[in-house]
Amino acid sequence: MSETPEFPAGAGPHEPPGSREMAARAAALDAADPLAAVRDRFVLDAAPDHASGDAAVYLDGNSLGALPRTVAGRVADVIAREWGELRIRSWTESGWWTAPERVGDKIAPLIGAAPGQVVVGDSTSVNLFKAVVGGVRMAGKGCTEILVDATTFPTDGYIARSAARMTGLAVRPVEPARIADEVTERTALALVNHVDYRTGRLNDLPGITHALHSAGALAVWDLCHSAGALPVGLDAHHVDLAVGCTYKYLNGGPGAPAFLYLRESLQERFESPLPGWNSHADPFAMDPAYAPAEGIARGRVGTPDILSLLALEAALEVWDGVSVDAVRTKSLALTDFFLECVGVHVPPDRARSVTPYDHRQRGSQVSLECRGAGEVMDELIRRGVVGDFRRPDVLRFGFTPLYTSFADAERAARVLGEVLGALPEVGTGAAGTGG
């Protein structure tokens, strides 16, 4: 590994050809953006202290979404009034008890689900465990394997292997594009990421789900990098189970509770591997024998995390009057424009996109491969362009259309060009955090 390189503070000696043209195009695109006003619903940097003096560009919403303005006041009220004054009465008078399903119904239209099929609570990992074990228990007799997306976020693989050990099945990693060819009558289910966390590649949810069903297997989807960024269509494509976090494109805050989707027609058959008192048909009977609640409530486990759950509920207000289709249109326009700006600003052969250019295969992030990605991202952040990186050499830029502007995209590419242009050769850096 080479020593940490020195990064000159300014740009190169000459303005890159096309810089003014790209900045002008960004301004025109922002002026015509129908979602531009939604940006004001978030708390974003005005003028932080960094090398350029400009406002920071936040392109890490694929790890942690920005703070919606409605959240602070709502959380303050929950603490001071609902907890501080009403106390235990808030479980009924303030609606705490029904919050997991109520907030689930707010998320449902963002992932293409009808009401009564989404419950919010626990972490993504816990919900993955519930979905995989519960799915195996619903699978047909004679099933011997679970297919797992071979490019998955590591937690999904850990959970799948643990579930397989518990249920006596084997885990078989398969590239998402090969699942339709690899599924057999022995497959209980497949656990697949809708969007690859590292590359931003969008996997074929309709096609893979159909292929699994044709073989008699269930489809379990991880929506962590797609919920709130693009249309998912869970009901339309007959997905069986799905999970997702809410702190990325849904902007629920650090550690915000995750969600579990369970198709209505499967709910009666769903047997949770974590039968907590909160999912009992009569929770306050304190019956030593477990009887699951009706409907999506059987996806609950223990006492809900009220503070974070109600912060998420407030955060979801930013979606008022916003359609997921409009978000997807802007997402593709933003990522197209960013890739074009990279082509203008970044010296040839210094970085290449590992995110597909094809709209049908792209989520809402752009991942660029370059040498010394860790130090490069550190320098970008120092100059006010906040993304993240994944070992060994991938820069990730997440585009949240609710608050990311085209000017943000142009500036990020321009600063990246300055950083890479100043460095003929760099070493490797330390890993980032988050999914």
Side-chain angles (χ1 to χ4, degrees), residues 116-134:
Q117 299 180 106
V118 180
V119 66
V120 178
D122 307 310
S123 66
T124 306
S125 300
V126 171
N127 282 310
L128 277 167
F129 181 74
K130 288 186 281 187
V132 174
V133 176

Side-chain angles (χ1 to χ4, degrees), residues 308-325:
S308 56
L309 184 55
L310 297 185
L312 168 62
E313 184 174 32
L316 292 169
E317 293 175 13
V318 299
W319 287 90
D320 290 350
V322 176
S323 75
V324 180
D325 287 337

Side-chain angles (χ1 to χ4, degrees), residues 357-421:
Y357 285 82
D358 185 346
H359 285 184
R360 296 167 299 178
Q361 299 179 38
R362 188 194 312 161
S364 199
Q365 76 182 54
V366 173
S367 295
L368 302 176
E369 189 175 68
C370 75
R371 298 183 65 182
E375 284 92 349
V376 170
M377 183 53 68
D378 287 345
E379 178 64 13
L380 287 173
I381 292 171
R382 192 184 74 80
R383 299 189 188 198
V385 175
V386 182
D388 66 12
F389 98 103
R390 289 294 171 266
R391 290 178 176 174
D393 52 10
V394 171
L395 303 170
R396 298 196 315 171
F397 301 94
F399 292 82
T400 305
L402 296 181
Y403 56 77
T404 304
S405 69
F406 290 89
D408 289 339
E410 190 278 332
R411 180 166 166 246
R414 175 163 37 87
V415 175
L416 176 63
E418 294 170 4
V419 171
L420 292 179

Side-chain angles (χ1 to χ4, degrees), residues 146-163:
I146 297 169
L147 302 186
V148 177
D149 174 353
T151 60
T152 190
F153 188 71
T155 292
D156 295 46
Y158 305 156
I159 295 294
R161 285 189 286 275
S162 178

Side-chain angles (χ1 to χ4, degrees), residues 37-84:
V38 181
R39 182 181 174 97
D40 292 335
R41 300 178 187 180
F42 293 86
V43 177
L44 298 168
D45 296 326
D49 181 18
H50 58 72
S52 74
D54 297 326
V57 173
Y58 188 68
L59 298 180
D60 208 6
N62 53 325
S63 279
L64 177 64
L67 171 66
R69 294 186 182 277
T70 54
V71 171
R74 177 66 177 117
V75 172
D77 182 63
V78 172
I79 293 173
R81 183 178 62 85
E82 296 183 6
W83 181 12

